[in-house]
């Protein structure tokens, strides 16, 4: 094991699930590594990766699959500092695609006073400043009417400034600051603000239709389904090993019995499909379904069920929670997703890997760890903590002589491959939902 990986694993003790079908999957991925990397290179000739992205993975031992793909990632401060040089290189490659002579970068954060989130923004500013850019933060918050310094938990600070339309209203920027590129780190859950519309002279990254005003998780996983079928054919595996089954329900009101019954029926149908796959592979675990908003983040409005009856018998308090998402927005559409157990533990607490990418490059990740959650529950909840992972050798071929399932870089390579499949799916998703498709 490399010195870098020894640092990562010196304090927390990781127990990971790599056995049975997943061990066979790892063998096939390692054996096909040259073909896999060539396949990705060809795909990226046809499609443009999102500017940045994070992917939540779950490792059940019998399958490894993404369960969420975030196009406005919010945890760069949780990545290993050892990966910073690689992150800077990836950021430089990403910026050069859109503005080769870029000088000024404007970053737009979420509406929040959360100083831990702003530490993430400070890390992003550090990354892009090391690419040679002048970087400033412009906020959509109406409460910020003048430059405002915010002190962060680590003792550093960031300055938030009010956004302005400049150059006779044709561009967006700050007082005495005209950016070439605008980098959104705001998921636009509450809608697309007028100040960001019709910016034909500037690149806005990710594009506005990547926000939850337009984006739907079901669209993403439909694109992922297409991607993983092609990939699974390449390495000759069952796509289900890498893919959570899903369906969606629209026009849902969790206060109405008719809506509850429709969701329960859909859950029952999905569970039947999962049970069939479990029988096929002799899996003894109990299948489950995760019900979550089809738009939005922050782990809100999520419920796990093992039987359709549980949906029909949801307590009134749970129904009420399922109706409201981020910023108090009403939830009327849900995705029903095959639950993927997480049989990875760190210091006896359930853990799941989260992989971060800029452009088409994996730049690191972390384990999300939650001591109070079970193997079939969402870990994206208050009480979670993060253990950084350095994805050493991510861009080198794995050690073909190492015993599969024992070498940490092999596991990370698998994580990186599956995360990049989700990244490619996000690219296809953006193409299909783009109001101006001629740019692709």
């Amino acid at each position: 094991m490399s010195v870098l990986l020894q640092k990562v694993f010196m304090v927390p003790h990781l127990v990971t699930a790599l056995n049975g079908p997943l061990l066979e999957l790892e063998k096939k991925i390692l054996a096909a590594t040259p073909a896999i990397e060539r396949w990705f290179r060809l795909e990226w000739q046809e499609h443009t990766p999102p500017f940045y992205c994070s992917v939540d993975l779950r490792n059940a031992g019998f399958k490894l699959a993404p369960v969420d793909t975030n196009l406005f990632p919010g945890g760069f401060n949780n990545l290993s500092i050892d990966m910073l040089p690689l992150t800077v290189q990836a950021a430089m490659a990403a910026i050069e695609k859109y503005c080769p002579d870029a000088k000024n970068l404007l970053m737009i954060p979420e509406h929040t006073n959360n100083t831990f989130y702003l530490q993430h923004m400070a890390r992003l500013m550090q990354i892009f400043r090391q690419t040679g850019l002048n970087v400033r933060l412009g906020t959509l918050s109406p409460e910020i009417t003048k430059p405002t310094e915010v002190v962060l938990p680590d003792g550093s600070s960031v300055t938030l400034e009010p956004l302005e339309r400049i150059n006779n209203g044709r561009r967006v920027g700050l007082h005495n600051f005209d950016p070439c590129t605008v980098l959104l780190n705001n998921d636009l859950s509450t809608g697309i603000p007028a100040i960001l519309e019709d910016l034909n002279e500037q690149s806005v990254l990710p594009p506005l239709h990547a926000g939850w005003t337009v984006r739907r998780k079901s669209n993403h996983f439909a694109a992922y389904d297409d991607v993983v079928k092609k990939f699974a054919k390449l390495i000759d595996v069952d796509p289900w090993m890498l893919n959570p089954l899903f369906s969606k329900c629209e026009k849902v009101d969790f206060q109405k019995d008719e809506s509850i019954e429709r969701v329960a029926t859909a859950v029952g149908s999905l569970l039947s499909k999962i049970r069939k796959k479990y029988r096929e592979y002799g899996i003894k675990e109990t299948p489950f379904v995760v019900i979550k908003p089809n738009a939005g983040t922050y782990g809100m409005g999520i419920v796990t069920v093992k039987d359709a009856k549980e949906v029909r018998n949801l307590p009134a308090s749970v129904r009420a929670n399922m109706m409201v998402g981020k910023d108090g927005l009403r939830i009327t559409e849900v995705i029903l997703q095959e639950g993927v157990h997480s049989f990875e533990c760190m210091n006896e607490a359930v853990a799941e890997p989260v992989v971060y990418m800029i452009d088409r490059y994996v730049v690191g990740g972390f384990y999300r760890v939650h001591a109070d959650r079970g193997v079939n529950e969402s870990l994206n909840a208050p009480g979670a903590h993060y253990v950084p992972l350095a994805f050493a050798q991510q861009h080198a071929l794995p050690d073909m002589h190492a015993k599969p399932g024992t070498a940490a870089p092999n596991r990370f390579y698998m994580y990186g491959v599956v995360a990049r499949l989700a990244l490619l799916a996000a690219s296809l998703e953006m193409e299909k939902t783009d109001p101006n498709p001629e740019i692709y």
Side-chain angles (χ1 to χ4, degrees), residues 78 366-369 379-381 384-388:
N78 294 322
F366 53 79
Y367 272 107
R368 181 185 289 121
V369 185
L379 306 187
N380 188 12
H385 68 276
Y386 308 95
V387 178

